[in-house]
Amino acid sequence: MSVKSCCIYSTGVISILTLIAGIVLVLSQVFQNILNAKIKKEIVLRNGTHAFDVWENPPPPVYMQFYFFNVTNPAEVLKGERPAVLEVGPYTYREFRPMERVNFLENGTKVSAVNTKTYVFQSDMSKGPESDLIRTVNIPAMTVMEKFKDTSVIANLISSYMKSVNEGLFTTHTVGELLWGYEDGLLKAMKVVDPTLDDVFGLFYKQNATDDGEYVFLTGQQSYKDFAVIDQWKGQSSLKWWTTDECNMINGTNGASFHPIITKNETLYMFSSDLCRSIYAIYEEESSVMGVPGYRFSPPSKVFANTTENAGFCTPPGNCLGSGVLQVSACKQDAPIVMSSPHFYQADEKFVKDIFGMKPNKEQHETIIDINPLTGIVLQAAKRLQVNVFVEKIPVFSQTGDIRTLVFPVLYLNESVVIDEVSAKQLQVIVAEGNIVVNIPFMLIGLGILLGVIFMVAQCRQRIPEVRGHRNSGLTGLGTVG
């Protein structure tokens, strides 16, 4: 056999071996597993890791936008007519949320911290100043009336006092007062009955430059799926407000961090102290933020559906308002607060029809999280919640007039974040390197196919001269015979 033939057949053998090796590597996912192992090792809450730095002090700017519902027909509402509201906003705040008082526990498998949040008003991103006036439901008054409606003597005294100071079901305050607090005359007067009562009210009173309690997180050292998962909150591993053990569970992360290697069929759990409960999100679609691929997750409608599995969130037991709303009085000092998605998105149609001005829209009102599936890093997120008040006619309080029984919207918030440019570029490099590693087996398959093509072409070219040689020999023979 000539050297040329030997080279050709060697190419064919190498082609077959390369193809087999590539196919075996694809089926066994060797390189995918090597990449995953490396990512799992690096995504741990431990001093010195990039994951810890991002968790402790997130670099992307977080913004909190508030949209208020200004009541335009209060007199008619008290006569039993349908309320009409006008959305006013946004009033935007830059949110700073570093992890503080960080302390590693149990050989680095857990870490405790408080998540201090500070809000700074951004006038250039807001519709108006914090001094803008908003007319809305008088939440302190509604809370007091609901609390004492079954105690006629005290109720009559409260009603008389409210008449004397012209306190009604609706009130007007500035944006700043409604958010961060103002001294309420009725609450101040009620301190005679209950000296421990705080006479300052605000929807986010004591939530600026403060934290919502100490958390204990799992670091992910023992299992990558434990990364940033909440183990305890305020010293407890479960809640106490709801009526079933399942509903009182603290599940998942705080929504700012997730474990790496996320798949489309996963369910992501999160605990929200705003909602006083855990929720979950499921895969919706693929996304891309600043050139970085992501998976979009969002809470499905059944998270707040009026179903058997959510019966434990109805307090007292059996008192369910309907799908799409969550009564959180138990964890809001008995205030008749009801949470929902903005404009009652995904809620029962009756809540939308009860209030003129509700226009639910998926793009504007859905809570979404875009996550890079390889690293678990949040690329973009928008937490959208609406604060409502349960109102009803209470005969002993003339201040309620003939108002309908309603879940009355007060405001909704949009807490959003988009990955910063520097972090996005770093992530692009990680994703690109990961793609190269994962595609090595396919490169081998491609190389094997290329070598196979070269082998076949070489074989054909080698045989053509042989065929021509035979033909020429045949023609010479014929000439001789002649």
Side-chain angles (χ1 to χ4, degrees):
M1 183 182 291
S2 67
V3 174
K4 183 178 179 181
S5 297
C6 184
C7 289
I8 291 172
Y9 285 114
S10 295
T11 302
V13 172
I14 293 171
S15 170
I16 294 171
L17 292 176
T18 305
L19 274 171
I20 293 172
I23 292 169
V24 169
L25 289 172
V26 167
L27 295 175
S28 61
Q29 295 187 323
V30 171
F31 285 93
Q32 181 72 64
N33 292 333
I34 290 172
L35 176 64
N36 289 354
K38 182 183 178 183
I39 293 292
K40 291 173 186 177
K41 186 177 180 181
E42 292 179 354
I43 307 295
V44 177
L45 294 179
R46 182 174 59 239
N47 270 321
T49 64
H50 179 67
F52 175 77
D53 293 338
V54 171
W55 172 83
E56 186 179 35
N57 196 8
V62 180
Y63 292 98
M64 179 74 89
Q65 295 176 306
F66 296 102
Y67 297 81
F68 288 85
F69 294 108
N70 196 55
V71 183
T72 60
N73 62 339
E76 289 77 10
V77 173
L78 291 174
K79 293 177 183 177
E81 295 185 23
R82 181 187 179 198
V85 298
L86 180 66
E87 182 183 302
V88 182
Y91 296 91
T92 305
Y93 294 79
R94 172 75 187 273
E95 180 181 328
F96 298 90
R97 46 186 304 163
M99 289 290 183
E100 298 180 335
R101 305 209 305 263
V102 177
N103 183 33
F104 286 94
L105 310 167
E106 299 182 21
N107 295 322
T109 59
K110 298 179 181 180
V111 58
S112 63
V114 295
N115 193 196
T116 303
K117 296 181 181 180
T118 303
Y119 301 92
V120 180
F121 186 66
Q122 308 290 300
S123 58
D124 60 323
M125 300 174 68
S126 302
K127 178 180 175 59
E130 289 182 292
S131 57
D132 279 358
L133 293 173
I134 303 293
R135 180 165 51 201
T136 186
V137 176
N138 189 337
I139 299 177
M142 198 67 227
T143 302
V144 170
M145 288 188 288
E146 282 288 343
K147 187 172 184 177
F148 293 101
K149 65 181 180 181
D150 297 323
T151 311
S152 59
V153 176
I154 298 176
N156 284 316
L157 288 173
I158 294 171
S159 181
S160 297
Y161 172 79
M162 290 177 68
K163 289 177 183 176
S164 69
V165 296
N166 199 29
E167 185 104 18
L169 186 62
F170 296 98
T171 186
T172 301
H173 285 280
T174 67
V175 167
E177 288 172 339
L178 288 171
L179 289 176
W180 313 118
Y182 62 91
E183 186 179 81
D184 184 79
L186 178 58
L187 293 178
K188 190 173 183 178
M190 289 301 298
K191 294 191 78 170
V192 176
V193 179
D194 184 0
T196 63
L197 198 65
D198 196 329
D199 57 7
V200 176
F201 171 79
L203 290 166
F204 294 87
Y205 175 52
K206 292 184 178 180
Q207 293 186 42
N208 196 353
T210 58
D211 61 79
D212 59 347
E214 185 181 66
Y215 289 85
V216 175
F217 300 91
L218 300 179
T219 63
Q221 182 174 295
Q222 294 180 315
S223 170
Y224 78 99
K225 286 202 171 185
D226 288 340
F227 176 76
V229 167
I230 299 169
D231 183 59
Q232 290 185 358
W233 179 54
K234 292 185 175 181
Q236 303 294 322
S237 57
S238 62
L239 306 172
K240 59 182 178 180
W241 299 305
W242 312 114
T243 57
T244 64
D245 291 339
E246 184 179 0
C247 292
N248 277 319
M249 292 175 68
I250 298 176
N251 295 324
T253 71
N254 65 352
S257 305
F258 295 93
H259 68 78
I261 323 299
I262 290 174
T263 62
K264 293 180 179 180
N265 60 359
E266 276 194 65
T267 299
L268 301 181
Y269 289 89
M270 294 157 279
F271 170 71
S272 170
S273 62
D274 295 329
L275 288 171
C276 311
R277 60 164 287 187
S278 299
I279 62 171
Y280 62 90
I282 59 174
Y283 172 80
E284 189 173 300
E285 61 184 1
E286 291 186 359
S287 63
S288 178
V289 181
M290 291 191 183
V292 181
Y295 291 167
R296 173 162 293 184
F297 285 78
S298 62
S301 58
K302 64 181 181 180
V303 169
F304 296 109
N306 188 12
T307 59
T308 303
E309 64 185 32
N310 286 330
F313 293 115
C314 301
T315 55
N319 182 33
C320 300
L321 296 176
S323 291
V325 297
L326 176 68
Q327 191 166 19
V328 292
S329 304
C331 65
K332 301 294 182 183
Q333 298 179 323
D334 293 326
I337 301 296
V338 179
M339 304 298 288
S340 70
S341 292
H343 287 252
F344 298 112
Y345 171 70
Q346 291 185 328
D348 287 341
E349 188 66 21
K350 67 177 181 178
F351 298 115
V352 178
K353 291 181 176 179
D354 279 347
I355 311 292
F356 181 81
M358 294 292 98
K359 300 174 183 178
N361 178 281
K362 176 182 171 68
E363 289 185 7
Q364 297 178 10
H365 303 142
E366 179 186 42
T367 291
I368 59 100
I369 309 170
D370 290 348
I371 306 170
N372 175 250
L374 179 64
T375 62
I377 291 175
V378 175
L379 305 176
Q380 177 177 265
K383 182 176 78 174
R384 293 155 176 159
L385 294 173
Q386 183 166 295
V387 180
N388 312 278
V389 184
F390 178 78
V391 297
E392 63 179 347
K393 178 180 179 178
I394 304 175
V396 71
F397 288 102
S398 59
Q399 289 81 4
T400 59
D402 291 317
I403 194 169
R404 304 178 183 185
T405 299
L406 300 164
V407 175
F408 210 111
V410 177
L411 67 78
Y412 78 84
L413 61 87
N414 177 23
E415 186 179 27
S416 61
V417 62
V418 178
I419 190 170
D420 61 288
E421 192 173 343
V422 174
S423 299
K425 287 181 178 178
Q426 292 173 344
L427 202 48
Q428 286 172 2
V429 173
I430 294 172
V431 171
E433 291 175 349
N435 286 337
I436 291 172
V437 172
V438 170
N439 286 314
I440 287 175
F442 296 100
M443 295 176 189
L444 288 175
I445 292 173
L447 179 60
I449 293 172
L450 179 62
L451 291 173
V453 171
I454 293 171
F455 169 72
M456 287 186 288
V457 170
Q459 278 284 83
C460 291
R461 291 186 67 178
Q462 186 182 31
R463 289 187 177 186
I464 288 172
E466 293 177 1
V467 172
R468 285 178 178 172
H470 287 304
R471 285 179 179 174
N472 291 335
S473 299
L475 289 171
T476 304
L478 287 171
T480 304
V481 172

